[in-house]
């Protein structure tokens, strides 16, 4: 019974030191990766650690080294392929730099985001990557800075916060997609987003709290204005938060006296909902309505027809955000920047050319 109880007890630094015939302080330096120890002694300690199946106590190590070896990540919606792919890029880069990652999902809800940030700081993470649910309510993000924890924003930028942000070239991407639709003869274009809003319509772009969505709508509206089209905000529709809500948004759009001939979906999840909505209404892409979607999600290439998309290079965005945070943790001297990852339009079969 005694042997069984002893085998279940956690192996300590003192146990490793005794087995390696070195002091506890020397064993701690080897196992913690700090200080100067000869190669011979290092080998002795590591051999003892392996033999005893030593597992480091992360909290104790963080107290002795000032580092937890953990990066916290708060994303908007892990169901969205955009964030799933971003997390892969973040995690891969973090692992290469010797960090583990804890992921939290805010569901694009500010209160959930605040709770996640508090939890991760409580776990003594070395740095945070956050996708802000809102860019106009940032006291909790200021608190991260005041706590001395490095912070990098992902997908959305908040200039007044004075921290690094990694985003796509959202405005330019929307401009490119909208100009393509205009070039194919479309004059009634709609932009559909999951951003929640009363009534689903929009009268002021400035009231959009999500910087990525705001910049895309700005790009969309700027092209319609440049083309001399009236009331460019008329077909900007928010509130496509789930399939039922999206069904309602699309039904209202196609029921208008002059319905849009082309739709621009703000992300792949919204795009898939729109695709299903159009199917349920018996409408065909692109003969009844054309469509472009942000993000090269798997479903966009297997539909009939395949969907024209804006390729956002999300994995690279996640990787860059992680690398930037590690540089901040390592106190690498860098100017605060917004790092934009370029996008490209991939033309497939979902946009029809119509008479002008």
């Amino acid at each position: 019974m005694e042997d069984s109880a002893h085998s279940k007890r956690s192996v300590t630094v003192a146990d490793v030191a005794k087995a390696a015939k070195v002091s506890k302080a020397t064993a701690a330096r080897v196992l913690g990766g700090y200080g100067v120890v000869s190669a011979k002694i290092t080998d002795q300690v590591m051999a003892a650690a392996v033999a005893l199946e030593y597992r480091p106590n992360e909290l104790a190590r963080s107290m002795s080294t000032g580092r937890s070896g953990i990066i916290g990540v708060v994303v908007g919606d892990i169901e969205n392929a955009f964030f799933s792919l971003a997390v892969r890029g973040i995690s891969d880069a973090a692992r290469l730099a010797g960090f583990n990652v804890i992921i939290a999902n805010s569901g694009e809800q500010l209160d959930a985001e605040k709770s996640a940030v508090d939890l991760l700081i409580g776990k003594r993470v070395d740095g945070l990557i956050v996708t802000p649910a809102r860019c106009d309510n940032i006291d909790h993000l200021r608190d991260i800075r005041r706590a001395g924890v490095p912070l990098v924003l992902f997908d959305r930028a908040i200039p007044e916060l004075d921290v690094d942000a990694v985003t796509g070239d959202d405005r330019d991407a929307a401009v490119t997609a909208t100009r393509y639709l205009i070039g194919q003869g479309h004059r009634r274009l709609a932009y559909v987003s999951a951003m929640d809003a009363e009534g689903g319509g929009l009268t002021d772009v400035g009231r959009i709290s999500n910087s990525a969505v705001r910049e895309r709508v700005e790009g969309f509206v700027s092209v319609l204005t440049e083309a001399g089209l009236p009331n460019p905000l008329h077909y900007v529709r928010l509130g496509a938060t789930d399939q039922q809500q999206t069904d309602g948004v699309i039904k209202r759009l196609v029921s208008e006296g002059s319905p849009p001939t082309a739709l621009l979906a703000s992300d792949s999840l919204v795009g898939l909902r729109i695709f299903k909505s159009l199917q349920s209404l018996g409408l065909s892409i692109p003969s009844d309505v054309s469509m472009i979607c942000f993000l090269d999600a798997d479903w966009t290439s297997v539909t009939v027809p395949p969907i024209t998309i804006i390729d956002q290079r999300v994995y690279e965005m996640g990787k860059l955000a992680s690398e930037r945070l590690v540089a901040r943790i390592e106190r690498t001297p860098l100017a605060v920047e917004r790092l934009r990852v370029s996008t490209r339009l991939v033309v497939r079969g979902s946009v029809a050319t119509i008479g002008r």
Side-chain angles (χ1 to χ4, degrees), residues 296-310:
D296 189 13
D298 289 343
W299 72 267
T300 63
S301 62
V302 298
T303 56
V304 180
I307 306 299
T308 294
I309 57 96
I310 297 163

Side-chain angles (χ1 to χ4, degrees), residues 68-82:
S68 66
I70 299 171
I71 288 172
V73 180
V74 183
V75 296
D77 183 3
I78 202 66
E79 181 187 2
N80 191 322
F82 176 91

